[in-house]
Amino acid sequence: MVLNKNYYAPANLEGANVLEIYTRTGILAIDIADEDSSCLVIGVDESEMQADLVPPNLRFEICNLEEDNDWTWRQRFRLIIIRQHGVFVKDLPALIRRCQEHLEDEGWIELQILTLRHHSLQQPPTNEESKIQDLHRHLSVGLAALGRQLDIQDDLPQILQENGFRDLNHLKWHVPLGPWPKDMELVLLIPVEKEKPLTALGRKT
């Protein structure tokens, strides 16, 4: 959960089909399936996921999400959700297009993205890079050489609009690097894999 919610899209999941892509451990898919037993949830990743203690309205599948031929679902989804870091896919526009094609009319896509830009809320910005910012810069350069973009959140609004999404909404949270914040709400964010300071929502036209 992110601040006590599995998702922020205003979608009614009663009797709905839900797709979580790049599900990893499957925790989010399990939580959504447990939250509403009337919906059917599919959790998808490119490697095997856990098979134990799975709710009856959830199944896991393995597929290559960057290949059009692997998107074989005939049903349409009311919600497609992605909870990932910013370098999970080579071709983000193509992934968003595939999601758009598999959503119901008026269906929602939600991306809970871990952004890796670090800054201090207490110290004013300076021209001098911190070691963490220096690491971020080197990661960006290295990943670009592999055809991947670290800060995909910068391009999300335009990509969603170009693929026919409307009612776009960005929700942002600061996520601390350690357990020292005075704000207990920030402390509660830490166990959630240090994620996710940005959630992007869009409704299919």
Side-chain angles (χ1 to χ4, degrees), residues 108-120:
W108 288 86
I109 185 172
E110 177 166 331
L111 297 98
Q112 298 179 5
I113 303 296
L114 172 64
T115 61
L116 297 177
R117 288 195 190 122
H118 298 90
H119 62 277
S120 172

Side-chain angles (χ1 to χ4, degrees), residues 40-193:
L40 174 62
V41 182
I42 300 176
V44 181
D45 213 322
E46 297 176 349
S47 58
E48 189 173 355
M49 292 134 280
Q50 72 174 56
D52 299 330
L53 303 176
V54 175
N57 58 326
L58 166 65
R59 72 174 187 265
F60 290 117
E61 298 180 5
I62 298 174
C63 88
N64 184 350
L65 291 161
E66 298 204 53
E67 291 291 336
D68 285 338
N69 292 337
D70 276 20
W71 286 67
T72 58
W73 301 287
R74 294 185 177 181
Q75 71 269 44
R76 292 293 178 260
F77 299 96
R78 193 168 303 168
L79 174 66
I80 296 179
I81 188 164
I82 306 167
R83 176 182 283 180
Q84 265 293 351
H85 51 73
V87 68
F88 66 97
V89 63
K90 281 188 175 181
D91 190 344
L92 181 61
L95 180 69
I96 298 298
R97 172 183 55 78
R98 295 183 193 104
C99 291
Q100 198 271 353
E101 291 170 352
H102 285 78
L103 278 171
E104 295 178 356
D105 293 339
E106 303 295 319
W108 288 86
I109 185 172
E110 177 166 331
L111 297 98
Q112 298 179 5
I113 303 296
L114 172 64
T115 61
L116 297 177
R117 288 195 190 122
H118 298 90
H119 62 277
S120 172
L121 295 179
Q122 297 179 344
Q123 298 179 357
T126 66
N127 293 328
E128 184 178 349
E129 282 189 339
S130 70
K131 294 299 182 182
I132 295 176
Q133 291 168 328
D134 188 48
L135 174 62
H136 178 276
R137 180 171 55 82
H138 286 296
L139 280 173
S140 296
V141 172
L143 289 167
L146 297 174
R148 293 181 180 268
Q149 182 180 347
L150 186 60
D151 295 316
I152 62 170
Q153 72 280 351
D154 295 337
D155 300 328
L156 271 177
Q158 180 178 347
I159 293 171
L160 289 168
Q161 287 179 340
E162 290 174 349
N163 281 276
F165 288 96
R166 58 183 174 83
D167 297 338
L168 304 184
N169 194 5
H170 278 196
L171 307 174
K172 298 182 181 181
W173 294 275
H174 297 287
V175 178
L177 291 176
W180 49 77
K182 294 180 180 179
D183 186 340
M184 286 305 299
E185 193 171 74
L186 293 178
V187 174
L188 291 174
L189 276 173
I190 297 171
V192 192
E193 304 172 58

